[in-house]
Amino acid sequence: MKKKVMVLWLACLLVLVPILMIVLWAVAVKWTYPSILPTHYGWMYFKRAYADPNFWPSIWNSTLIAMIATVVTLAIAMPACRFLSMQHFLSGRLIEFVIYLPMILPAIAIVTSTETEFLRWQLSGTYLGVVILHVFFMLPYAMQIMLESYRKLGTAYQLTARNLGANAWQTFWNVTVPLLRPGLIAAASLCYIISYSQYLPTFFVGDSNIITLPLLLIPFANNGRFGVGSVYSIIFIVTSLIGVSILAVLIGGRHGIKRQKH
């Protein structure tokens, strides 16, 4: 028991210490060596970030793209995983290889080659182009989660519902979806965070027309401007958690994830 408690405290420290450092950098007006803590605090970096004309558009773009990409990813993953879980002519290893293929290939090669085609199709610099590329990178994660969920679910509940007179839609909505809800929440949450964090696809395909939070955050972090970068990091964490919570409530019902315990 003591070992479990120690592991839990260690895990909490590994999560909370980096967040605490981000908060300190965000409010540190003056923090010089050899001071362990900032010597002067203030909201200067918050005001500077808020004054950026891309502040609100970046939050809106990140949220909108992540929401749409998550819905599209789940809409593709659910029927695909249902088919793959019921078929018997493809081997499990081949299915896993196909699912993981987008994760194996170098992301920069995929993004640059896709950008070349999107320029030809006039999708570069559009929300549609960004969403399509986000879905490509999100789909392996969603399919892996949903495939396991469908395998555990089996077909007995659906067959029982059909034998009792339910049609295909009633079976899907009233039987399949409630039983898959934990997997749906996990897949949606992971996909949302992945889309919200994407930098390369948005940078290349967005063509400087679509600004998201990672596009504002990463340049500040790379240039050593940790104050404003930390502010954007805090905003990134808070807004992404809000988005995940909204998805959990929309999929899990009024009680969100807690509903799965009953």
Side-chain angles (χ1 to χ4, degrees):
M1 186 65 182
K2 291 182 178 180
K3 290 183 178 179
K4 292 182 178 179
V5 173
M6 291 179 63
V7 171
L8 182 61
W9 276 107
L10 180 60
C12 291
L13 287 174
L14 291 175
V15 173
L16 294 177
V17 170
I19 295 177
L20 177 61
M21 294 300 298
I22 291 173
V23 173
L24 286 176
W25 272 112
V27 297
V29 176
K30 186 177 181 181
W31 192 356
T32 57
Y33 180 84
S35 301
I36 298 177
L37 294 174
T39 55
H40 185 56
Y41 298 88
W43 303 102
M44 177 181 67
Y45 296 122
F46 283 90
K47 295 177 181 178
R48 190 175 300 176
Y50 184 77
D52 191 325
N54 290 316
F55 179 81
W56 289 112
S58 66
I59 296 176
W60 166 252
N61 288 335
S62 296
T63 304
L64 178 64
I65 292 170
M67 283 289 183
I68 295 175
T70 299
V71 173
V72 173
T73 301
L74 292 180
I76 297 173
M78 289 186 68
C81 291
R82 182 180 184 276
F83 168 77
L84 292 174
S85 65
M86 297 176 64
Q87 61 82 35
H88 301 288
F89 54 90
L90 294 177
S91 66
R93 289 185 178 181
L94 178 61
I95 293 173
E96 290 183 359
F97 174 77
V98 173
I99 290 175
Y100 286 120
L101 189 60
M103 301 169 61
I104 299 172
L105 298 174
I108 187 65
I110 296 172
V111 170
T112 52
S113 59
T114 303
E115 168 65 359
T116 303
E117 294 300 318
F118 279 9
L119 285 170
R120 184 181 306 172
W121 300 338
Q122 296 183 350
L123 288 174
S124 182
T126 65
Y127 285 95
L128 178 59
V130 174
V131 168
I132 291 173
L133 201 52
H134 279 212
V135 170
F136 177 82
F137 288 105
M138 294 158 60
L139 201 54
Y141 300 93
M143 288 195 65
Q144 185 62 30
I145 295 174
M146 295 308 303
L147 186 59
E148 289 300 318
S149 298
Y150 268 108
R151 284 172 175 169
K152 291 180 180 179
L153 176 62
T155 59
Y157 292 105
Q158 293 92 322
L159 291 175
T160 302
R162 296 302 298 271
N163 290 333
L164 292 174
N167 57 37
W169 172 253
Q170 290 172 332
T171 301
F172 172 76
W173 189 253
N174 296 315
V175 178
T176 305
V177 170
L179 292 174
L180 289 177
R181 191 166 279 140
L184 280 172
I185 292 175
S189 302
L190 183 59
C191 288
Y192 184 89
I193 293 173
I194 292 171
S195 177
Y196 212 82
S197 307
Q198 289 294 333
Y199 176 78
L200 280 179
T202 311
F203 177 78
F204 279 91
V205 179
D207 199 21
S208 301
N209 293 328
I210 301 174
I211 305 298
T212 59
L213 275 174
L215 266 63
L216 295 181
L217 165 62
I218 293 179
F220 283 109
N222 289 338
N223 294 331
R225 300 174 64 183
F226 300 123
V228 181
S230 296
V231 171
Y232 280 119
S233 297
I234 294 173
I235 296 169
F236 181 92
I237 294 171
V238 172
T239 52
S240 61
L241 289 177
I242 291 173
V244 168
S245 300
I246 292 173
L247 284 172
V249 172
L250 291 176
I251 298 173
R254 185 166 59 91
H255 300 292
I257 298 175
K258 294 182 180 179
R259 187 173 177 176
Q260 308 308 316
K261 297 180 180 180
H262 299 289

